[in-house]
Amino acid sequence: MAELSMDDLMFRPGLMRGQRVLITGGGTGLGKVMAEACLMLGADVYIWGRRGGVVEDAAKELMDAHGGKCVGRACDIRVPEAIHDAMDEIWADGGALTGLVNNAAGNFISRTEDLSPRGFDAIANIVFRGSFFVTLDAGKRWLEEGKPASVVSILTTWVWHGGPFTVPSAMSKAGLNVMTQSLAVEWGNRGVRFNAIAPGPFPTEGMSARLNPTGQGANEAPKDPMTPLNRNGEMRELANLAVYLLDPGSAYVNGQTIAIDGGGHLRGGGFSRLAEWGDAEWEQARNAIRSANEKDRAQRTV
Ligand code: HXC
Ligand code: NAP
């Protein structure tokens, strides 16, 4: 089902006319809603995923709802040759991309000691290696042709504070964070800029099935205690940020990773639960601290 209407978007109609955007993993979840926003604003949109039927159906559904051009194609980003062939098709279909969203990912919660090497690879091969292969294939073309482009990678806030029980994902996303910073500098003066988005919880089918499999995880709507705003993200909020970073209107923004998590990652450390305290708890705490201070003071000799 299409998710957005023009009222959800912050931008004028036609903003992205003439732009050509590839979104990996664009057949579902956050990738699909970013594809939808770009399509609605006039871009030609390409979406890849391993399940050909899913991306083809999504492309059709989005075009039925909004018109425009959206092409769904099976492509496994773990395979550099498959990426190269699919990228050839895009270039042959209308020229250079102007934007790339590295969105495809794999993830599941697991105690790290329970992971097998293949379990680690299942995630790292998609997120860490696959996203790099896609970026490299498109990047070589942009540099050779002297074409400008904007690359946006979808990370997680775990790149700043770690991701216990999701270590392969957190490690892989952290690698992409460093890729963003590195290539922003290396390729920036040739017109290819790099930014990233670190979303907090945006419940999607793919995410919920792997990170909240019993329905009792920390990401449940509507009141996630890790989110100061006491709510999950809304799809349109993510879509607006992605459009902003893809569009030349943000051309001076380069090498940045922007959290869209209601400030969740800033709560970090051990005190975040204190947000749940009321007046009684604070009064009790203040009294306890005062009495500890008084006891210490009574022992002072100077
Ligand atoms: C431990 C597991 C496991 C689990 C799989 N494995 N699931 N190990 N716990 N829950 C191990 C398997 O045992 C196997 O190792 C190896 O991983 C490969 O498993 P396959 O099922 O063959 O993998 P594959 O078919 O390649 O599928 C990849 C996948 C799958 C990553 C495992 O989940 C997938 O396709 N995901 C795509 C979509 C997705 O994950 N979306 C969520 C994104 S949400 P052995 O040794 O046994 O052979 C997200 C949110 C972040 O990132 C932030 C939220 C706030
Ligand atoms: P999702 O719907 O499961 O999206 C993942 C997509 O990646 C799927 O469409 C999947 O399609 C595709 N994919 C996986 N492996 C691939 C491969 N080898 N080649 C090509 N495509 C592949 O989950 P989501 O929640 O929308 O997540 C989207 C992105 O947001 C991910 O990067 C995720 O880490 C990030 N994120 C999500 C949240 C959240 O709360 N939802 C929070 C933070 C970050 P196929 O299975 O058909 O290949």
Side-chain angles (χ1 to χ4, degrees), residues 50-295:
R50 290 166 299 178
R51 292 165 295 166
V54 169
V55 276
E56 283 158 22
D57 289 352
K60 182 174 179 315
E61 183 190 310
L62 295 182
M63 284 191 293
D64 285 348
H66 304 295
K69 176 174 174 176
C70 182
V71 181
R73 185 201 197 278
C75 178
D76 185 340
I77 66 163
R78 293 173 296 188
V79 185
E81 299 75 19
I83 293 169
H84 193 71
D85 290 349
M87 204 72 85
D88 276 350
E89 275 181 29
I90 292 178
W91 250 255
D93 187 46
L97 287 170
T98 60
L100 162 66
V101 182
N102 286 315
N103 166 79
N107 204 351
F108 51 73
I109 48 167
S110 170
R111 289 184 301 193
T112 302
E113 63 270 31
D114 293 339
L115 288 170
S116 67
R118 272 173 45 81
F120 180 86
D121 283 348
I123 290 165
N125 285 348
I126 303 170
V127 180
F128 182 67
R129 300 180 83 237
S131 304
F132 176 73
F133 295 152
V134 176
T135 305
L136 182 64
D137 197 287
K140 283 178 172 174
R141 295 169 198 252
W142 288 321
L143 297 183
E144 200 181 304
E145 297 171 18
K147 292 272 167 57
S150 172
V151 178
V152 177
S153 297
I154 308 301
L155 309 181
T156 62
T157 55
W158 305 335
V159 303
W160 295 305
H161 55 67
F165 305 102
T166 52
V167 166
S169 168
M171 289 172 66
S172 300
K173 298 281 193 185
L176 294 186
N177 196 33
V178 173
M179 178 188 83
T180 298
Q181 294 168 326
S182 307
L183 291 180
V185 175
E186 193 177 330
W187 291 354
N189 65 357
R190 285 178 280 174
V192 184
R193 64 193 175 98
F194 285 79
N195 291 291
I197 296 174
F202 285 73
T204 63
E205 230 176 274
M207 178 267 239
S208 302
R210 278 121 187 153
L211 300 188
N212 192 9
T214 57
Q216 292 167 6
N219 292 314
E220 279 177 291
K223 196 165 184 284
D224 182 336
M226 291 305 289
T227 305
L229 302 188
N230 276 340
R231 67 171 175 89
N232 292 320
E234 291 176 14
M235 294 301 232
R236 65 190 172 88
E237 295 172 322
L238 189 278
N240 278 310
L241 179 55
V243 169
Y244 168 72
L245 290 174
L246 285 168
D247 189 79
S250 64
Y252 206 49
V253 181
N254 189 26
Q256 302 307 304
T257 298
I258 300 174
I260 178 164
D261 69 338
H265 72 286
L266 298 173
R267 290 178 70 171
F271 297 111
S272 57
R273 302 277 163 178
L274 302 196
E276 286 155 24
W277 283 8
D279 289 347
E281 287 90 347
W282 281 111
E283 176 73 21
Q284 211 180 349
R286 207 160 30 234
N287 290 340
I289 294 166
R290 273 196 195 122
S291 79
N293 288 346
E294 276 159 23
K295 194 170 146 219

Side-chain angles (χ1 to χ4, degrees), residues 291-302:
S291 79
N293 288 346
E294 276 159 23
K295 194 170 146 219
D296 283 5
R297 212 173 295 123
Q299 292 171 335
R300 281 185 206 149
T301 51
V302 289

